[in-house]
Amino acid sequence: MSEPTTKKTAGAFDIRYIIGGLLGFYGVVLVVVGLFFTSEEDLAKGDGFHVNLWTGIALLVTSAIFAAWARWRPIIVEES
Amino acid sequence: MIAADSTFRLDANFVDYLIVVAYFAVVLGIGLLARRQVSSSIDFFLSGRSLPAWVTGLAFVAANLGAVEIMGMSANGAQYGMATAHYFWVGAVPAMLFLGVVMMPFYYGSGVRSVPEFMRKRFGTGAHLVNALSFAIAQLLIAGINLFLLATIVNRLLGWSLWVSLVVAAAIVLSYTALGGLSAAIYNEVLQFFVIVAALVPLTTIALHKVGGWDGIREQIQPGPEQLSSWPGTDLTGIDNPFWSVVGIVFGLGFVLSFGYWTTNFVEVQRAMAADSISAARRTPIIGAFPKMFIPFVVIIPGMIAAIIVPELAALKGGDAVEGVTYNDAILLLMRDLLPNGMLGIAIAGLLASFMAGMAANISAFNTVFSYDLWQQYAVKDREDSYYTKVGRLATVAATVVAIGTAFIASNYSNLMDYLQTLFGFFNAPLFATFILGMFWKRMTPTAGWTGLVSGTLAAIVVAILSQDALGGLSLGVLPFSGQGASFAAAGAAFVVDIAVSVAVTFVTAPKPEKQLVGLVYSLTPKESLTDPDQASLPWYQSPVKLAGIALVIVIIFNVIF
């Protein structure tokens, strides 16, 4: 280890941002579909549950947790 | 062969396709980025130094959370009920913990990176050749299963015939492997894990609600409530006597098959080796054990419910022939009946992702073993590196083409778990016997290494041929085993014969000098290289042994409840 090493965070490459981003996008799509495009037929299919709406909200919460985690404990990469 | 045109469809719409496309955009984006960046950036994705144990732990489970887990286990749940949970609580978790606690320090300490490599160092080229060949063949057959399931989804979505679906699915995987490459594999596996969970948890919740909760299952499940308890699992094993059924599960599945699979499978062990320290490597399978033990609840239970509330499956379970529907369709049918558009897209994206990742893992493992363990070692030695890279690329294409063929073999099985467990009996059970004997018995000779492997595999094939149906039409029905009991029996036979032959051959052939076995045999390896110097200073949640203890307690509780 004679070479000097520089430390930096993985930044946007941090897998938690990517997971959070994709799940967040899915969350937004589902919430929009759930709020504005849910037919009676869809509701009956899900046995009365607002499946899209609730899953969408859960995905948004998960996404926020990943983003918060990635901010709180960034991955440090050493580069030689 | 399944008549592809006379089957059901999933009614996906624009939103569903948007969600699926978004997934592939992210995955391919990762692949392209990984390519463009210099090597230090690939470290961002993969490097053992930067990847924490939770990532490798999830990748460890996700690498295995492919077609087999989701379609196969839900098919099993639909057919056999709760007994399927043995594949998780008996057939996976104990072996994963054993890998983390006992074997991982040994793998890590001995500096061996792959299973064929261990075989070559421990036993020389005979066992290495046998192992590399059988591993390569197994990967092609398993890739066929993944491809078949992938094509099934394409078929259900778009209505193309199975042939066209297979070729298109193979082409997609090929380009995905070429673009994403091995470097992004672990990354994608973790991503895929969360998408799958996001799909399965809501599906299970709605299904449970619809059927009337656990009580609803109890009242309606066919043929009766014995499907709700996992022991003694006579339906699953096909062994009528409860005592022998339990023996089959504990010895055949719990010991031989699962330890063989989890502790020697190149694809799995490699994930753990990517961790940054010996304790992170040990934690990898142990962390993986926690999600693993909860997966049954979102895979088996939906399968069981599907057999109640989906009319076609209920009829199939009742003994009627239903055209175009098999148990393997349980999850797809449930998705069709329960999920509204939007949620459906997430479920489809999750399934496509996991089957592709599964097949990509098989193909790239094949290509590594083929080009370095087989071609470089035995066919064309001492060429420049780019030559072997080219061989690897050709092997990838060839493997994809072969997988289309093996997909048709897979399509002949109405329950893919039967088929897969039979394959594991052939390939993994003898490997585990040789591995464990070679690790703990320094006298075991190189000749014993390869003769044990060959005779173990032959023994498993003989049992499979003599059984009722383990090899489909090839089976003669001399022995009273059917279903997965036959593969447990084949695996047990492989293990016993392998050990017996290895011991017998060892006594008449010459062992390797002890000096060459340092780091490969337990008694000849210094204890310091097996333990982590920082072990004592780690907090409890980072201590492999304590984590493993917690996991074991939870699994025992599950076994008592169900």
Side-chain angles (χ1 to χ4, degrees):
Chain A
M1 297 291 152
S2 55
E3 286 175 49
T5 59
T6 54
K7 292 186 176 185
K8 56 183 199 176
T9 63
F13 289 112
D14 191 324
I15 188 166
R16 290 167 295 185
Y17 282 123
I18 297 190
I19 295 171
L22 185 68
L23 295 185
F25 172 73
Y26 284 176
V28 171
V29 171
L30 286 195
V31 167
V32 169
V33 172
L35 281 180
F36 304 110
F37 301 98
T38 298
S39 63
E40 285 303 312
E41 199 185 325
D42 288 338
L43 269 184
K45 227 180 175 182
D47 206 26
F49 271 126
H50 280 274
V51 181
N52 281 333
L53 184 60
W54 285 112
T55 311
I57 291 172
L59 284 172
L60 287 177
V61 172
T62 316
S63 160
I65 292 172
F66 269 106
W69 183 17
R71 274 196 87 113
W72 179 50
R73 287 261 179 98
I75 290 178
I76 308 292
V77 181
E78 291 183 11
E79 270 183 295
S80 56
Chain B
M1 224 223 62
I2 292 169
D5 304 300
S6 61
T7 187
F8 62 94
R9 295 271 165 270
L10 297 170
D11 289 320
N13 71 6
F14 165 74
V15 179
D16 302 314
Y17 287 114
L18 175 72
I19 286 173
V20 173
V21 167
Y23 183 83
F24 285 101
V26 170
V27 167
L28 293 182
I30 293 170
L32 286 173
L33 269 176
R35 270 200 144 191
R36 263 222 317 253
Q37 307 286 326
V38 282
S39 64
S40 69
S41 292
I42 292 171
D43 285 346
F44 279 105
F45 303 110
L46 268 188
S47 156
R49 294 171 302 161
S50 56
L51 281 191
W54 71 268
V55 171
T56 49
L58 285 180
F60 190 90
V61 173
N64 170 262
L65 188 71
V68 180
E69 294 268 312
I70 295 162
M71 306 274 272
M73 290 300 178
S74 56
N76 235 353
Q79 190 171 1
Y80 303 119
M82 212 54 206
T84 308
H86 289 313
Y87 282 104
F88 298 83
W89 300 335
V90 175
V93 171
M96 291 166 84
L97 301 179
F98 180 81
L99 174 65
V101 172
V102 180
M103 288 181 72
M104 197 36 91
F106 189 81
Y107 268 121
Y108 215 89
S110 68
V112 172
R113 277 179 305 272
S114 78
V115 177
E117 193 187 339
F118 178 90
M119 283 292 157
R120 191 167 51 80
K121 285 191 164 175
R122 175 63 184 84
F123 297 114
T125 48
H128 175 253
L129 182 63
V130 172
N131 180 214
L133 273 177
S134 77
F135 180 80
I137 295 169
Q139 290 309 307
L140 290 179
L141 291 171
I142 297 169
I145 299 181
N146 279 311
L147 183 61
F148 167 64
L149 289 173
L150 192 59
T152 310
I153 301 212
V154 175
N155 166 252
R156 301 297 191 246
L157 271 175
L158 302 171
W160 298 346
S161 77
L162 191 65
W163 248 115
V164 178
S165 303
L166 273 177
V167 172
V168 170
I172 296 174
V173 173
L174 194 59
S175 54
Y176 160 98
T177 319
L179 261 177
L182 192 58
S183 62
I186 292 186
Y187 216 81
N188 289 333
E189 279 160 8
V190 178
L191 186 62
Q192 162 227 325
F193 176 83
F194 286 100
V195 177
I196 274 286
V197 170
L200 290 178
V201 171
L203 182 65
T204 309
T205 313
I206 307 163
L208 263 178
H209 188 261
K210 180 135 186 171
V211 81
W214 188 248
D215 289 333
I217 303 180
R218 192 198 312 277
E219 282 157 22
Q220 297 166 63
I221 195 158
Q222 297 300 326
E226 71 270 10
Q227 286 227 335
L228 284 182
S229 47
S230 57
W231 298 100
T234 44
D235 282 345
L236 180 78
T237 58
I239 302 170
D240 290 335
N241 182 322
F243 174 76
W244 287 110
S245 176
V246 171
V247 170
I249 291 170
V250 172
F251 182 73
L253 171 67
F255 182 60
V256 179
L257 274 175
S258 93
F259 280 65
Y261 176 79
W262 290 99
T263 61
T264 63
N265 189 311
F266 178 58
V267 182
E268 296 294 339
V269 173
Q270 200 183 29
R271 298 287 176 285
M273 301 301 290
D276 60 352
S277 66
I278 192 164
S279 69
R282 295 180 72 187
R283 280 204 304 280
T284 295
I286 297 169
I287 289 175
F290 284 93
K292 184 79 186 170
M293 68 178 84
F294 290 102
I295 290 172
F297 295 111
V298 294
V299 174
I300 299 173
I301 290 181
M304 292 163 65
I305 298 174
I308 297 171
I309 63 176
V310 176
E312 292 98 319
L313 272 187
L316 185 67
K317 205 172 179 183
D320 300 333
V322 183
E323 201 185 345
V325 171
T326 68
Y327 284 115
N328 299 323
D329 296 317
I331 283 278
L332 291 178
L333 286 163
L334 210 56
M335 281 161 52
R336 177 199 66 177
D337 287 356
L338 296 183
L339 295 184
N341 292 111
M343 197 49 230
L344 183 64
I346 292 189
I348 294 170
L351 291 182
L352 286 176
S354 80
F355 303 166
M356 284 194 150
M359 184 173 162
N362 297 138
I363 298 278
S364 37
F366 169 83
N367 132 24
T368 312
V369 168
F370 180 83
S371 39
Y372 293 102
D373 282 300
L374 288 171
W375 196 258
Q376 186 169 19
Q377 185 81 28
Y378 301 105
V380 182
K381 286 184 187 177
D382 303 324
R383 291 285 295 268
E384 69 283 1
D385 221 37
S386 62
Y387 171 76
Y388 295 106
T389 314
K390 207 187 292 169
V391 170
R393 248 185 237 124
L394 288 176
T396 306
V397 177
T400 311
V401 174
V402 174
I404 295 178
T406 56
F408 278 100
I409 304 179
S411 72
N412 287 322
Y413 283 77
S414 77
N415 185 331
L416 283 170
M417 277 318 289
D418 290 354
Y419 174 51
L420 196 82
Q421 293 303 324
T422 307
L423 292 183
F424 285 160
F426 292 173
F427 298 115
N428 289 12
L431 184 58
F432 174 59
T434 301
F435 207 93
I436 205 82
L437 203 60
M439 257 173 82
F440 292 101
W441 192 31
K442 63 184 178 189
R443 200 186 176 302
M444 187 174 176
T445 64
T447 320
W450 71 266
T451 48
L453 280 178
V454 170
S455 53
T457 302
L458 287 179
I461 294 175
V462 167
V463 171
I465 289 179
L466 292 180
S467 74
Q468 305 281 341
D469 59 0
L471 281 181
L474 284 176
S475 292
L476 300 174
V478 178
L479 293 174
F481 301 119
S482 65
Q484 279 141 51
S487 38
F488 299 167
F495 185 83
V496 171
V497 169
D498 184 312
I499 297 272
V501 170
S502 300
V503 171
V505 171
T506 289
F507 284 116
V508 295
T509 47
K512 277 183 102 167
E514 288 195 2
K515 224 184 295 170
Q516 292 179 18
L517 296 177
V518 175
L520 300 171
V521 176
Y522 202 79
S523 60
L524 299 175
T525 304
K527 293 288 166 285
E528 303 82 70
S529 65
L530 295 180
T531 48
D532 190 344
D534 306 331
Q535 184 116 12
S537 62
L538 291 173
W540 67 269
Y541 60 86
Q542 291 191 348
S543 158
V545 178
K546 284 174 193 145
L547 277 179
I550 297 170
L552 197 62
V553 169
I554 300 178
V555 155
I556 290 173
I557 292 173
F558 281 160
N559 267 303
V560 171
I561 296 177
F562 297 105

